mmCIF file of all heavy atoms in Angstrom:
data_model
loop_
_atom_site.group_PDB
_atom_site.id
_atom_site.type_symbol
_atom_site.label_atom_id
_atom_site.label_comp_id
_atom_site.label_asym_id
_atom_site.label_seq_id
_atom_site.Cartn_x
_atom_site.Cartn_y
_atom_site.Cartn_z
ATOM 1 N N MET A 212 113.413 104.932 101.298
ATOM 2 C CA MET A 212 113.790 104.211 100.078
ATOM 3 C C MET A 212 114.065 105.159 98.912
ATOM 4 O O MET A 212 113.431 106.189 98.792
ATOM 5 C CB MET A 212 112.657 103.260 99.691
ATOM 6 C CG MET A 212 112.969 101.836 100.072
ATOM 7 S SD MET A 212 111.678 100.705 99.555
ATOM 8 C CE MET A 212 111.770 100.868 97.798
ATOM 9 N N VAL A 263 97.635 97.164 93.516
ATOM 10 C CA VAL A 263 98.748 97.566 94.375
ATOM 11 C C VAL A 263 100.050 96.947 93.851
ATOM 12 O O VAL A 263 101.082 97.618 93.776
ATOM 13 C CB VAL A 263 98.496 97.142 95.848
ATOM 14 C CG1 VAL A 263 99.735 97.354 96.695
ATOM 15 C CG2 VAL A 263 97.318 97.912 96.435
ATOM 16 N N VAL A 269 105.048 100.587 96.420
ATOM 17 C CA VAL A 269 104.012 100.684 97.464
ATOM 18 C C VAL A 269 104.292 99.629 98.529
ATOM 19 O O VAL A 269 104.409 98.450 98.246
ATOM 20 C CB VAL A 269 102.587 100.498 96.891
ATOM 21 C CG1 VAL A 269 101.568 100.340 98.014
ATOM 22 C CG2 VAL A 269 102.219 101.697 96.033
ATOM 23 N N GLY A 278 82.361 109.125 105.384
ATOM 24 C CA GLY A 278 81.153 109.291 106.204
ATOM 25 C C GLY A 278 81.296 108.690 107.583
ATOM 26 O O GLY A 278 82.403 108.561 108.099
ATOM 27 N N ALA A 288 70.217 94.163 102.303
ATOM 28 C CA ALA A 288 69.156 94.051 101.295
ATOM 29 C C ALA A 288 69.477 92.907 100.323
ATOM 30 O O ALA A 288 68.583 92.170 99.888
ATOM 31 C CB ALA A 288 69.000 95.368 100.551
ATOM 32 N N ALA A 323 91.871 101.736 108.760
ATOM 33 C CA ALA A 323 91.649 102.979 109.509
ATOM 34 C C ALA A 323 90.146 103.049 109.758
ATOM 35 O O ALA A 323 89.367 103.469 108.893
ATOM 36 C CB ALA A 323 92.135 104.186 108.707
ATOM 37 N N TYR A 327 81.567 103.003 112.116
ATOM 38 C CA TYR A 327 81.059 101.636 112.288
ATOM 39 C C TYR A 327 81.884 100.613 111.496
ATOM 40 O O TYR A 327 82.101 100.788 110.298
ATOM 41 C CB TYR A 327 79.610 101.543 111.811
ATOM 42 C CG TYR A 327 78.630 102.284 112.680
ATOM 43 C CD1 TYR A 327 78.023 103.450 112.223
ATOM 44 C CD2 TYR A 327 78.296 101.806 113.943
ATOM 45 C CE1 TYR A 327 77.105 104.130 113.014
ATOM 46 C CE2 TYR A 327 77.386 102.487 114.744
ATOM 47 C CZ TYR A 327 76.802 103.647 114.273
ATOM 48 O OH TYR A 327 75.906 104.321 115.058
ATOM 49 N N LYS A 347 85.414 107.441 117.939
ATOM 50 C CA LYS A 347 83.960 107.297 117.731
ATOM 51 C C LYS A 347 83.573 105.922 117.166
ATOM 52 O O LYS A 347 82.390 105.636 116.996
ATOM 53 C CB LYS A 347 83.463 108.359 116.744
ATOM 54 C CG LYS A 347 83.619 109.788 117.225
ATOM 55 C CD LYS A 347 82.898 110.757 116.293
ATOM 56 C CE LYS A 347 83.477 110.810 114.897
ATOM 57 N NZ LYS A 347 84.753 111.507 114.744
ATOM 58 N N GLY A 362 80.074 85.386 108.089
ATOM 59 C CA GLY A 362 80.363 84.494 106.964
ATOM 60 C C GLY A 362 81.521 84.928 106.097
ATOM 61 O O GLY A 362 81.836 84.292 105.092
ATOM 62 N N LEU A 383 78.393 85.974 120.073
ATOM 63 C CA LEU A 383 77.102 85.499 120.600
ATOM 64 C C LEU A 383 76.199 86.633 121.091
ATOM 65 O O LEU A 383 74.979 86.503 121.068
ATOM 66 C CB LEU A 383 77.325 84.461 121.712
ATOM 67 C CG LEU A 383 78.076 83.197 121.255
ATOM 68 C CD1 LEU A 383 78.228 82.212 122.408
ATOM 69 C CD2 LEU A 383 77.382 82.523 120.072
ATOM 70 N N GLU A 392 87.229 99.911 124.430
ATOM 71 C CA GLU A 392 87.123 98.492 124.801
ATOM 72 C C GLU A 392 87.812 97.623 123.746
ATOM 73 O O GLU A 392 88.469 96.625 124.075
ATOM 74 C CB GLU A 392 85.658 98.069 124.971
ATOM 75 C CG GLU A 392 85.568 96.632 125.506
ATOM 76 C CD GLU A 392 84.151 96.042 125.530
ATOM 77 O OE1 GLU A 392 83.175 96.789 125.325
ATOM 78 O OE2 GLU A 392 84.058 94.818 125.758
ATOM 79 N N LYS A 411 98.115 106.641 108.924
ATOM 80 C CA LYS A 411 99.199 107.102 108.035
ATOM 81 C C LYS A 411 100.512 107.208 108.808
ATOM 82 O O LYS A 411 101.578 106.842 108.302
ATOM 83 C CB LYS A 411 98.839 108.460 107.418
ATOM 84 C CG LYS A 411 97.816 108.344 106.303
ATOM 85 C CD LYS A 411 97.536 109.708 105.686
ATOM 86 C CE LYS A 411 96.570 109.578 104.517
ATOM 87 N NZ LYS A 411 96.164 110.873 103.972
ATOM 88 N N LEU A 413 101.327 105.498 111.436
ATOM 89 C CA LEU A 413 101.772 104.120 111.702
ATOM 90 C C LEU A 413 102.436 103.522 110.452
ATOM 91 O O LEU A 413 103.493 102.878 110.537
ATOM 92 C CB LEU A 413 100.559 103.284 112.145
ATOM 93 C CG LEU A 413 100.798 101.805 112.450
ATOM 94 C CD1 LEU A 413 101.849 101.620 113.537
ATOM 95 C CD2 LEU A 413 99.476 101.142 112.879
ATOM 96 N N ILE A 423 111.778 94.195 102.294
ATOM 97 C CA ILE A 423 111.708 92.727 102.158
ATOM 98 C C ILE A 423 111.531 92.102 103.537
ATOM 99 O O ILE A 423 110.759 91.151 103.724
ATOM 100 C CB ILE A 423 112.967 92.169 101.454
ATOM 101 C CG1 ILE A 423 113.063 92.775 100.041
ATOM 102 C CG2 ILE A 423 112.914 90.645 101.373
ATOM 103 C CD1 ILE A 423 114.304 92.399 99.279
ATOM 104 N N ILE A 436 101.211 80.502 111.958
ATOM 105 C CA ILE A 436 100.117 80.495 112.944
ATOM 106 C C ILE A 436 99.221 79.256 112.835
ATOM 107 O O ILE A 436 98.636 78.811 113.815
ATOM 108 C CB ILE A 436 99.280 81.808 112.825
ATOM 109 C CG1 ILE A 436 98.525 82.086 114.123
ATOM 110 C CG2 ILE A 436 98.330 81.801 111.662
ATOM 111 C CD1 ILE A 436 99.357 82.722 115.179
ATOM 112 N N LYS A 470 126.857 103.949 112.404
ATOM 113 C CA LYS A 470 126.065 104.940 113.167
ATOM 114 C C LYS A 470 125.366 105.950 112.251
ATOM 115 O O LYS A 470 125.475 107.160 112.411
ATOM 116 C CB LYS A 470 126.953 105.654 114.205
ATOM 117 C CG LYS A 470 127.591 104.698 115.209
ATOM 118 C CD LYS A 470 128.219 105.437 116.355
ATOM 119 C CE LYS A 470 129.043 104.532 117.259
ATOM 120 N NZ LYS A 470 128.325 103.359 117.762
#
Side-chain angles (χ1 to χ4, degrees):
M212 258 183 64
V263 171
V269 169
Y327 291 109
K347 296 189 295 286
L383 299 181
E392 186 188 349
K411 284 182 177 174
L413 179 58
I423 299 175
I436 202 81
K470 301 191 189 306

